[in-house]
Amino acid sequence: MTLNLFDDAEQGRVWQEAICPGAVVLRHFALRYEVEIFAALDDIARQAPFRHMVTPGGFRMSAAMTSCGEFGWTADRTGYRYITTDPETGLPWPPMPETLGRLAVAAAMSAGYPEFVPDACLINRYAIGAKMSLHQDKDEPDLGAPIVSVSLGLPANFQFGGPRREDKTQRVQLTHGDVVVWGGPARLFFHGVLPIKNGLHPSTGEFRINLTFRKVSK
Ligand code: SIN
Ligand code: FE2
């Protein structure tokens, strides 16, 4: 199913493609926010630099990560969790820039989640070859709130499965400015990112950037 959302003389068409009940791609939705997003990202990365975390199983994650908002997501040898200070700097995570919050709320609204108010944004930076194995986003106590995921830069093959790891996955190609929103019946569905292919993007060079907005407080 596709649904036209709006046309913009400068940014082109924005439309929706359903993935499954509860999950949808908003094509090009973030393009109109692009300049502000990159300015915000520079600012965040200066205060809370990208780092490669090590999973409880001892694997170094190939995507580099940082966070902004009230909570940031971390992994270490003892587990995964959200915390209010950056363990690298000892400082609170940089606040969520107003434009980023507005983008996430507007995307959630378009996708049918009008109540969404994010308090955390995990920022993943993928170099060529980096990936994210199939996983569930289940560290957030309020599973009534969706996940809003903004893709920038190099394209990705996003895998979206079902409630069990072994469920068949759909492959959704995500390009610069696409936003995926999943919640409701799809909130705990497994998802992942296949290794990023070689390329050069005018906005991000040899990287893909992904922002996932979450609601962490109860
Ligand atoms: C994630 O699941 O946290 C990241 C998804 C993505 O990079 O598209
Ligand atoms: Fe995830």
Side-chain angles (χ1 to χ4, degrees), residues 25-201:
V25 192
L26 312 176
R27 295 289 184 192
H28 300 175
F29 192 93
L31 285 182
R32 65 186 55 224
Y33 299 85
E34 173 170 6
V35 174
E36 289 156 291
I37 297 173
F38 283 116
L41 288 178
D42 281 348
D43 225 40
I44 292 162
R46 252 196 308 276
Q47 299 172 65
F50 282 99
R51 78 287 312 260
H52 291 274
M53 295 180 194
V54 177
T55 67
F59 295 101
R60 176 184 188 265
M61 299 185 77
S62 62
M65 297 178 176
T66 187
S67 288
C68 69
E70 228 177 294
F71 299 90
W73 186 85
T74 58
D76 62 24
R77 295 308 290 256
T78 64
Y80 302 110
R81 64 191 159 276
Y82 286 99
I83 48 178
T84 54
T85 53
D86 177 352
E88 293 287 316
T89 63
L91 299 171
W93 296 100
M96 188 182 301
E98 203 250 316
T99 12
L100 294 191
R102 249 190 314 116
L103 159 61
V105 167
M109 179 95 73
S110 288
Y113 299 100
E115 319 264 273
F116 184 57
V117 181
D119 54 18
C121 174
L122 170 63
I123 304 162
N124 294 308
R125 187 183 68 192
Y126 298 78
I128 289 157
K131 65 180 174 69
M132 178 101 38
S133 306
L134 274 185
H135 66 277
Q136 294 169 292
D137 290 1
K138 58 177 184 191
D139 301 326
E140 305 74 22
D142 178 3
L143 295 172
I147 302 287
V148 173
S149 161
V150 176
S151 289
L152 299 165
L154 290 179
N157 281 309
F158 183 62
Q159 298 172 289
F160 203 81
R164 290 167 313 204
R165 185 177 292 281
E166 58 276 15
D167 289 334
K168 199 172 163 308
T169 57
Q170 298 183 54
R171 195 180 284 191
V172 183
Q173 162 112 317
L174 297 179
T175 59
H176 186 64
D178 290 344
V179 179
V180 184
V181 182
W182 66 94
R187 176 61 180 75
L188 286 176
F189 281 16
F190 278 84
H191 57 279
V193 177
L194 294 176
I196 301 298
K197 293 191 182 137
N198 218 340
L200 193 61
H201 191 277

